[in-house]
Amino acid sequence: MAIEADIAANPERAKYKKIPLESIKSALQGSDPASLAMEAFDTNGIEGKPRKVEVAYPQPNQALVTITQNDLVKNSRDTVRYRVELSTFGRTILATSPPMWQIVWVGKRNSNENSAE
C-alpha cells in the first residue's frame, strides 16, 4: 500500500523501476542535487558515457534530477533514464550556506520498457 501511496503522490514514479537507496554506494546527502545524483550512478558504471542532466525544483524544499543516458552497447539505441528525488533537511553551519539535500527516492527506466511491441 505504501507503493500505491507513493505513486498517487508522485504519478511520474509509476514509469520507473524503484532502486533501493541501500544499493547506492555514494553519499546520499550533500549541498548540490545534481552532483549527488551523478555520483550515485557513477558507482554503477555509467561514468564516461554521454548523458544529459536536468535539475528541477518543483517545491522550495524539493529537487528532481533526471539523468538521460544513451546506451553505448553496439547496435543498441536504448536510452536509460534515472529519476532522483531529493529533499532539504537543513543547512550547513552558517545560515547563509546553501541548503543540505538528501536523496529520498531513485528510479530507473529504459526507453524500450514503454514502447509497444
Side-chain angles (χ1 to χ4, degrees):
M1 294 192 198
I3 293 172
E4 292 161 357
D6 268 355
I7 291 172
N10 298 290
E12 281 294 308
R13 286 184 180 179
K15 299 176 184 176
Y16 293 82
K17 180 180 177 189
K18 184 177 180 178
I19 297 172
L21 295 179
E22 302 81 42
S23 69
I24 296 175
K25 305 289 187 238
S26 67
L28 297 178
Q29 299 176 348
S31 60
D32 180 29
S35 294
L36 282 171
M38 288 188 298
E39 288 171 11
F41 296 108
D42 280 348
T43 61
N44 290 335
I46 69 166
E47 68 276 0
K49 294 184 180 180
R51 58 189 167 186
K52 178 180 173 187
V53 179
E54 300 172 276
V55 182
Y57 297 92
Q59 300 287 331
N61 63 340
Q62 292 180 325
L64 171 62
V65 181
T66 306
I67 301 171
T68 306
Q69 169 200 324
N70 293 322
D71 197 343
L72 296 180
V73 175
K74 193 174 185 178
N75 299 326
S76 174
R77 296 178 194 247
D78 198 18
T79 299
V80 177
R81 180 169 286 154
Y82 296 94
R83 177 183 174 94
V84 182
E85 297 176 10
L86 304 97
S87 67
T88 58
F89 66 93
R91 296 190 178 274
T92 52
I93 299 170
L94 302 173
T96 57
S97 298
M100 291 297 290
W101 293 92
Q102 178 170 340
I103 296 175
V104 295
W105 192 90
V106 179
K108 177 182 176 182
R109 174 177 102 183
N110 290 6
S111 62
N112 63 1
E113 289 177 355
N114 292 334
S115 59
E117 295 182 310

